Amino acid sequence: MAADPQTPNSDTSRDFIRDIIRADLEAGRATGVVTRFPPEPNGYLHIGHAKSICLNFGLARAFGGRCHLRFDDTNPVKEDIEYIQSIQEDVRWLGFDWGDHLYFASDYFEQLYEWAEHLIRQGLAYVDDLSADDIRAYRGTLTEPGRESPFRTRPVAENLDLFRRMRSGEFPDGARVLRAKIDMAAGNINLRDPVLYRILHARHPRTGDAWCIYPTYDYTHGQSDALEHVTHSVCTLEFEDHRPLYDWFIQHLPVPSKPRQYEFARLNLSYTVLSKRKLIQLVRDGHVSGWDDPRMPTISGLRRRGVPPDALRDFAARIGVTKSNATVDVAVLDHCVRDHLNTRAERRMAVLDPIRLVIETYPEDGEEWLDAVNNPEDPAAGTRRVPFSRELLIERADFMEDPPRKFFRLAPGREVRLRYAYFVTCTAVVRNDAGEIVELRATHDPATRGGDAPDGRKVKGTLHWVSARHAIAAEARLYDHLFARPDPGAEGDWLDDINPDSLRVVTARVEPALAAADAGRAVQFERLGYFCADPETSPEKPVFNRTVGLRDSWARLQARGAS
Ligand code: ATP
Ligand code: MG
């Protein structure tokens, strides 16, 4: 079982960030640990964010510190209250709690503005009238130094005046920006007079129309960390080149604390896209049913699919934290999910692709209720009763008329066990006019009821089944990877790599007990996989999402070409 994420001192992980923190604490460079998870409220959280959440909240727990949830809401155009709510729900669902430490970068707008004036007064920032295109052209390249803007030498008083007028709304969008005055010849392009403020006459979800200039990410992030007394500001590797700028601001501003930035490798997952831009496109263009479509790598999609939060935490722990970018095989996630569901999901019988099996030796109107084990991994889960009758449904794939050597399921003349019921022997097949097999006939051995044969004879196959008369129809949504190749977009347009078979909907026949499954309830359909009742489920029309399949030994044999 996974440890409670909020329990201190249960952390046994080791990684380079934990090593840095231990060293900082031992050397007295830090007296406590404060981290933050800083999402931009411009989309739903995905499994990559889950890695960051588990890391940041995990560090706080491991070192007896705290982790803040801070919305990095500096871009009013893309942000939305819906995202702010979903993000909080998802972090809580993952098992983490920020307590009173919920913050918004927009709460610091006034302080950030004052500090910008401070930089101007120190001669460290200036208002630039160059257009966005010119600023880009003047910036230079990795091999060529940039050129200084003609406005770089503006006197302090003029800069202050213009910046105040930017704030008061005198100028249209894009007319001017405030830039730091650092070094246009710096090898690191981020230090070539980065933009601190841009003019944007846009309504902000939280500050409304109070502002028409907005600070950039780079100018906001470190100062927000400093204001919150964050000690270790952990972000992904693409910010490594921004660290000198992060430090420059901290060094030149009268901030109340001196946070340090550390970078780790972001999560990439095979068969998956994790760019927010792409996820938004999948939703907007209707490739999926919404942010919580069970094929989406979003936390809400994984939840709806039936992935338990502790499986995600376990996944995060298992993949670890490193400094080199790599792609994790999505099979690792599936493994963690199976691991957790195996111990907790009750077993039920369901048939996805039924064929009728008539037990000729069983009375026409006979019926009995047999004991079935709810979870062999958990004796406390007890047993339930399942109805048996003369006409059953079994999985079409569990019968072969002319079976290859290693096929141990039903075949003409072959005896198998019907789980929790009887040994049955196939005696005949019934065909329709087109020659297709539509029904199987069998006899049963009453002496094997619910157990083994008294004479000790063995069978190699055990099949699941439902009673045709008692079974109820349920919609089963069978999900596969949303993308058909492990590296979507590696050759050509990523949208062309969408898997056309990522969702197959079938009408399953399920044992009656499943009609009452509550939404979110995880079950194992025996021999088929883990399923979860969808929010759309109802007693009239049960709906189940396949969370993950079981490892199918026969399918594996076939894949290896054995027969
Ligand atoms: P955007 O392109 O919109 O900035 P983003 O994925 O960086 O997208 P943020 O909301 O800025 O989204 O991310 C919040 C935090 O989650 C950041 O600290 C970011 O580094 C981290 N994060 C984002 N994607 C991943 C990922 N794939 N693996 C690990 N951490 C991630
Ligand atoms: Mg980001």
Side-chain angles (χ1 to χ4, degrees):
M1 284 299 286
D4 173 353
Q6 303 285 349
T7 308
N9 306 323
S10 60
D11 184 279
T12 52
S13 326
R14 270 208 94 96
D15 56 59
F16 76 96
I17 292 181
R18 282 170 166 80
D19 289 344
I20 288 169
I21 293 179
R22 276 189 202 101
D24 283 350
L25 292 171
E26 275 162 28
R29 283 187 296 272
T31 50
V33 174
V34 182
T35 57
R36 85 287 169 265
F37 172 64
E40 216 181 313
N42 60 355
Y44 278 60
L45 297 182
H46 56 61
I47 189 167
H49 295 116
K51 173 179 179 175
S52 176
I53 292 166
C54 291
L55 174 60
N56 280 297
F57 281 91
L59 291 172
R61 178 203 63 209
F63 293 98
R66 61 175 202 263
C67 180
H68 300 177
L69 175 61
R70 181 201 314 142
F71 288 100
D72 221 321
D73 56 345
T74 54
N75 185 354
V77 182
K78 290 199 208 152
E79 293 161 8
D80 200 286
I81 295 287
E82 177 194 352
Y83 299 138
I84 292 180
Q85 283 161 354
S86 75
I87 288 169
Q88 296 187 52
E89 185 185 344
D90 289 349
V91 175
R92 277 205 199 93
W93 177 79
L94 261 182
F96 298 106
D97 185 4
W98 52 88
D100 298 333
H101 299 281
L102 175 65
Y103 301 103
F104 292 84
S106 55
D107 290 340
Y108 310 136
F109 281 173
E110 192 62 48
Q111 175 67 76
L112 291 168
Y113 176 85
E114 277 172 36
W115 280 339
E117 286 206 354
H118 174 89
L119 289 175
I120 293 173
R121 280 192 296 271
Q122 302 289 311
L124 294 173
Y126 61 100
V127 172
D128 196 347
D129 302 357
L130 285 183
S131 68
D133 284 345
D134 281 339
I135 288 181
R136 209 169 302 123
Y138 275 60
R139 189 169 289 141
T141 64
L142 283 174
T143 49
E144 285 166 62
R147 278 179 295 143
E148 295 187 353
S149 162
F151 302 98
R152 198 175 197 263
T153 50
R154 263 184 173 145
V156 167
E158 190 183 331
N159 281 319
L160 268 182
D161 173 59
L162 285 171
F163 187 48
R164 287 174 185 165
R165 286 160 61 196
M166 278 170 64
R167 175 180 184 169
S168 69
E170 214 174 291
F171 311 119
D173 287 2
R176 295 188 159 88
V177 293
L178 183 75
R179 300 177 72 175
K181 194 192 266 189
I182 307 181
D183 180 4
M184 286 308 290
N188 183 336
I189 292 182
N190 292 301
L191 295 178
R192 294 183 190 168
D193 292 9
V195 172
L196 309 188
Y197 274 89
R198 54 223 186 297
I199 301 173
L200 196 61
H201 291 266
R203 213 185 144 70
H204 186 283
R206 298 191 79 249
T207 59
D209 295 318
W211 295 88
C212 63
I213 56 171
Y214 289 96
T216 55
Y217 170 89
D218 277 326
Y219 178 60
T220 308
H221 202 89
Q223 281 62 266
S224 303
D225 287 341
L227 284 165
E228 293 173 20
H229 294 264
V230 165
T231 56
H232 296 79
S233 180
V234 181
C235 62
T236 38
L237 277 178
E238 65 275 19
F239 292 102
E240 198 166 15
D241 289 346
H242 296 239
R243 183 167 9 107
L245 180 56
Y246 183 105
D247 292 342
W248 188 90
F249 288 126
I250 297 296
Q251 189 192 331
H252 289 93
L253 288 170
V255 288
S257 78
K258 301 216 179 293
R260 302 277 312 221
Q261 175 182 301
Y262 301 93
E263 308 86 18
F264 71 101
R266 66 169 45 231
L267 170 69
N268 301 303
L269 203 56
S270 64
Y271 296 96
T272 309
V273 299
L274 291 180
S275 139
K276 260 194 241 169
R277 183 180 60 76
K278 291 178 179 168
L279 296 179
I280 286 174
Q281 201 175 335
L282 289 170
V283 173
R284 295 236 169 105
D285 297 351
H287 297 290
V288 294
S289 65
W291 284 102
D292 69 345
D293 185 302
R295 292 166 293 181
M296 289 284 274
T298 50
I299 294 179
S300 52
L302 293 163
R303 173 166 65 229
R304 184 165 177 186
R305 186 164 177 152
V307 171
D310 39 5
L312 279 181
R313 295 198 299 269
D314 186 29
F315 172 72
R318 198 175 290 237
I319 59 176
V321 181
T322 67
K323 255 190 128 45
S324 54
N325 279 312
T327 298
V328 174
D329 191 331
V330 72
V332 177
L333 174 63
D334 291 347
H335 173 86
C336 294
V337 174
R338 280 192 201 101
D339 224 36
H340 282 267
L341 291 177
N342 181 38
T343 53
R344 109 174 44 149
E346 292 200 352
R347 275 53 168 172
R348 295 288 182 267
M349 290 201 286
V351 176
L352 296 180
D353 181 18
I355 185 166
R356 192 170 290 265
L357 174 69
V358 179
I359 312 296
E360 293 176 317
T361 45
Y362 200 80
E364 289 277 354
D365 51 359
E367 167 183 305
E368 43 188 331
W369 289 73
L370 302 166
D371 287 327
V373 173
N374 282 331
N375 188 349
E377 302 289 324
D378 176 15
T383 60
R384 69 188 184 287
R385 311 206 109 187
V386 290
F388 186 88
S389 66
R390 178 180 159 95
E391 297 203 1
L392 309 173
L393 301 170
I394 64 166
E395 215 67 63
R396 194 170 285 273
D398 280 340
F399 174 81
M400 275 180 116
E401 198 171 19
D402 186 15
R405 203 161 48 84
K406 286 185 181 161
F407 184 84
F408 298 128
R409 309 173 189 179
L410 202 60
R414 169 90 56 88
E415 184 171 50
V416 297
R417 181 200 302 271
L418 295 181
R419 177 157 283 172
Y420 312 123
Y422 298 99
F423 284 17
V424 298
T425 304
C426 179
T427 51
V429 300
V430 181
R431 293 174 193 278
N432 63 13
D433 293 343
E436 296 152 350
I437 299 175
V438 290
E439 189 178 293
L440 305 170
R441 298 255 154 184
T443 56
H444 78 301
D445 176 358
T448 59
R449 184 181 193 272
D452 292 323
D455 65 5
R457 75 181 189 281
K458 299 286 180 215
V459 290
K460 282 200 168 154
T462 297
L463 309 188
H464 63 276
W465 50 273
V466 292
S467 161
R469 178 150 52 90
H470 300 89
I472 53 173
E475 180 172 315
R477 300 177 179 168
L478 308 178
Y479 296 104
D480 198 353
H481 303 316
L482 184 54
F483 292 91
R485 53 182 293 157
D487 48 358
E491 292 168 50
D493 188 345
W494 64 281
L495 285 170
D496 293 339
D497 292 330
I498 290 184
N499 175 7
D501 302 316
S502 62
L503 171 59
R504 197 158 60 85
V505 179
V506 301
T507 302
R509 303 283 153 172
V510 305
E511 63 175 86
L514 281 172
D518 295 329
R521 166 88 182 276
V523 288
Q524 185 197 95
F525 288 179
E526 291 211 36
R527 300 179 61 234
L528 296 172
Y530 293 100
F531 285 73
C532 170
D534 189 79
E536 290 171 359
T537 201
S538 72
E540 295 71 42
K541 190 192 170 213
V543 179
F544 290 93
N545 298 318
R546 183 170 65 196
T547 310
V548 62
L550 299 178
R551 263 159 308 181
D552 181 328
S553 49
W554 171 243
R556 245 183 336 192
L557 271 177
Q558 275 181 317
R560 276 198 236 125
S563 64

